[in-house]
Amino acid sequence: DINRSLQNSVKSQLISDVKLGCQLSGGVDSSLITYLANNLSKDKNFESVSIIFNNPNFSEEGYIDKVTDKLDIKAHKFVMDANYYLDHLKKVTWHLEGPINHPNTIGIYLLSQRAKEYVTVLLSGEGADEVFGGYSRFHLMKYRYQLPFLKGLVKSFPNMLTYIKNYNNVPLQAVIGTAFMKVEVAKKIKPDFDLKKATKLRLDIYNKLKGSVFDKQVKYEIATYIPDLLIRQDKMSMAHSIENRVPFLDNEIVKRSFKYPEGVMIKKEKNHEKYLLKELTSDIFGEDFAYRDKMGFGIPLRDFFKDKKFKIYLTNELLPSMLNRALFDKGELIQLFSKIDTLNHKEMESLWVIITLEIWLQEFIDINNTALN
C-alpha cells in the first residue's frame, strides 16, 4: 500500500554520510515525512527546520510544535520578516536566475541558509500536492459546478457567456489553474494580452495526455509545475550547500498513485483533496490537523509591502523603472502601487509577478545591456 511505499522511499533517502533532518512546514506532507523519517532513522538526534512568521494568520508554528512535541525531536524555527525579505530579493533572483514567481522562494532560501548550521541534507514534502491532487484546483476541476462556479458567473457579468464558454473548456481551466496571474488582471495591466497565444504551448502538452480529468491534471502538473518547484528548491538549497531530497517523488510512489481510484484521492467534502495522505496523517496527528484549511507555506506579502522600507523601495526604485520600461499599462501600474494596503488576493499576486519580473530585468537584462554599451 501507499504507507509501505512511503516508508521504503523515506528509508532509502535517509542514507547519508552527513547530518540529515527534515524541512517541516507543519502541513500534511512535511509532517508525514518527518514522522516516517524520525521513526525509521537510526540517528536519535533527528532535527527539523522551519520558517515561521510574526503574523499568526500565516505562521503554522502551532502545527510545527505539535509534530515536534509528539515526536520529541529538536526543532529549529526561523522568523521571516519584511527586512530579510526585502534585503534578499535581488540575491535570491540572482541564484534563481529568473523572476521569483513563487513568493515563498525567499523562505526556502532563508530556511536553507539557517539549516546549514545544523544539517547538510533535508527531506521535504515537495511533490505530494501535484501527485496526489492536493490543491483546491483539483477539487474545482472534479466537482466543477459548485458554489465557486456560481460566484464566478455573477462576477463575470455582463460577460457571462464568455465565462461559461471558458469554464466549460476543461483543458484551458487546467492550464490557467496553475498561472500566477488571473486572466482578467493580465488583460487590465497588458491590454494586448492574448489568452490563446499565452496558453497554446501548455494546451498542446495537456491535449496529448490520456485518462480522466483528474489523471490528466495530475500528469499535466507533473510535467509542467513540479519541474519549476524542484528547480527553485534545488537552487535555493544549493546556494547554501544543502541537499534537498523529495521522498514523495520516488518512482514507485508516483506509479502507485495512478493505481488508486479517484474517490480515494479526492472527495467532495471541503478540505478532502489529497484524501489518501490526509487519512494517513489523521491517524498520526488527528483529524483537525489533517483536514484543516491548506496554508501551503503562504507568505504575508501584504504585511511586507506595507513595511515603510519596502514601500520606499517599491515606489522610488521599482515603479519609475517599470513606467519607463512601458511593458504594462501605466495607469494600471500606478493604481496597483497606490492601493497596496487594500489590494485583494488576486491583485496582490499580480503585483508580485510584476515586481519580480522588474527585479529580474534590472539584475540580468539591464546590467548586460550596460556592459555591452
Side-chain angles (χ1 to χ4, degrees):
D1 60 5
I2 197 65
N3 191 17
R4 190 179 301 109
S5 295
L6 272 172
Q7 288 188 45
N8 290 339
S9 175
V10 170
K11 189 173 182 179
S12 69
Q13 301 208 35
L14 284 173
I15 299 171
S16 175
D17 294 326
V18 292
K19 182 75 175 174
L20 181 146
C22 273
Q23 179 177 318
L24 177 62
S25 71
V28 166
D29 311 325
S30 64
S31 298
L32 189 53
I33 292 299
T34 302
Y35 170 80
L36 292 172
N38 182 63
N39 280 2
L40 295 167
S41 175
K42 295 177 182 177
D43 184 357
K44 298 308 176 186
N45 297 314
F46 198 75
E47 302 177 31
S48 68
V49 293
S50 309
I51 294 294
I52 58 174
F53 304 96
N54 292 321
N55 186 332
N57 293 323
F58 287 85
S59 183
E60 296 198 274
E61 186 174 9
Y63 295 108
I64 292 168
D65 290 345
K66 182 167 185 175
V67 173
T68 55
D69 289 349
K70 182 179 179 66
L71 303 182
D72 192 25
I73 60 175
K74 190 179 293 184
H76 305 286
K77 296 178 288 189
F78 317 115
V79 178
M80 165 76 80
D81 60 20
N83 276 328
Y84 185 94
Y85 208 79
L86 175 59
D87 291 344
H88 290 81
L89 275 172
K90 292 182 179 180
K91 185 171 287 187
V92 169
T93 300
W94 185 85
H95 282 291
L96 190 64
E97 301 175 286
I100 310 169
N101 50 5
H102 294 269
N104 62 18
T105 301
I106 299 169
I108 297 175
Y109 182 88
L110 169 59
L111 183 130
S112 301
Q113 182 184 54
R114 296 301 308 277
K116 189 60 180 175
E117 301 168 24
Y118 307 100
V119 298
T120 304
V121 177
L122 282 175
L123 301 188
S124 81
E126 201 75 88
D129 282 318
E130 293 76 18
V131 173
F132 291 91
Y135 297 118
S136 60
R137 57 181 177 261
F138 283 90
H139 194 275
L140 288 172
M141 288 292 283
K142 182 168 176 57
Y143 304 104
R144 296 177 51 69
Y145 299 99
Q146 305 295 322
L147 187 58
F149 166 72
L150 296 176
K151 286 182 177 179
L153 187 62
V154 173
K155 287 181 181 179
S156 69
F157 183 83
N159 301 308
M160 288 183 170
L161 289 178
T162 301
Y163 173 82
I164 293 171
K165 180 183 176 182
N166 286 339
Y167 196 87
N168 286 331
N169 187 336
V170 172
L172 179 64
Q173 292 302 311
V175 168
I176 64 177
T178 60
F180 284 88
M181 187 181 293
K182 299 299 181 182
V183 173
E184 58 268 29
V185 181
K187 287 180 177 178
K188 272 188 178 181
I189 66 166
K190 194 167 177 56
D192 62 346
F193 174 77
D194 186 334
L195 179 61
K196 189 174 181 180
K197 184 177 180 181
T199 57
K200 184 183 183 307
L201 293 177
R202 293 297 183 99
L203 286 171
D204 287 345
I205 294 171
Y206 183 90
N207 288 326
K208 291 176 182 175
L209 301 174
K210 307 291 185 184
S212 67
V213 170
F214 180 82
D215 282 347
K216 283 183 179 180
Q217 188 167 1
V218 169
K219 292 174 183 176
Y220 173 77
E221 300 214 7
I222 288 174
T224 64
Y225 199 71
I226 284 181
D228 188 48
L229 296 180
L230 295 181
I231 289 170
R232 173 198 62 163
Q233 185 89 271
D234 189 53
K235 288 187 175 183
M236 295 305 101
S237 300
M238 292 310 295
H240 304 289
S241 300
I242 289 283
E243 180 189 345
N244 201 290
R245 298 178 180 178
V246 284
F248 279 114
L249 294 180
D250 178 85
N251 287 341
E252 181 60 34
I253 290 176
V254 175
K255 286 179 184 176
R256 184 174 287 277
S257 71
F258 283 103
K259 295 179 180 179
Y260 286 94
E262 287 179 23
V264 175
M265 305 296 272
I266 186 167
K267 292 186 177 291
K268 194 172 183 178
E269 294 86 347
K270 185 178 184 290
N271 293 334
H272 278 57
E273 305 91 354
K274 198 169 52 183
Y275 178 75
L276 192 62
L277 296 187
K278 287 183 177 179
E279 276 294 278
L280 288 178
T281 308
S282 176
D283 291 340
I284 303 164
F285 298 109
E287 285 192 9
D288 290 344
F289 185 100
Y291 292 101
R292 68 189 192 265
D293 288 340
K294 181 179 176 63
M295 192 170 287
F297 197 0
I299 297 290
L301 282 180
R302 190 185 305 280
D303 294 355
F304 293 171
F305 285 168
K306 289 167 70 173
D307 178 82
K308 184 178 179 180
K309 184 179 174 184
F310 215 123
K311 269 190 174 179
I312 291 172
Y313 171 66
L314 294 177
T315 55
N316 293 0
E317 289 190 43
L318 291 186
L319 181 58
S321 178
M322 293 163 79
L323 293 173
N324 184 59
R325 207 180 293 279
L327 287 175
F328 304 106
D329 182 274
K330 293 185 178 182
E332 287 294 331
L333 275 181
I334 292 171
Q335 188 177 13
L336 277 174
F337 275 81
S338 67
K339 60 175 187 177
I340 280 179
D341 293 356
T342 59
L343 293 178
N344 63 37
H345 181 66
K346 289 180 182 178
E347 292 169 329
M348 188 71 69
E349 285 186 332
S350 301
L351 181 60
W352 172 255
V353 170
I354 296 166
I355 285 170
T356 55
L357 173 63
E358 176 60 31
I359 294 170
W360 175 75
L361 287 168
Q362 289 183 11
E363 292 299 299
F364 283 85
I365 306 302
D366 294 350
I367 285 177
N368 287 337
N369 288 342
T370 301
L372 289 173
N373 292 330

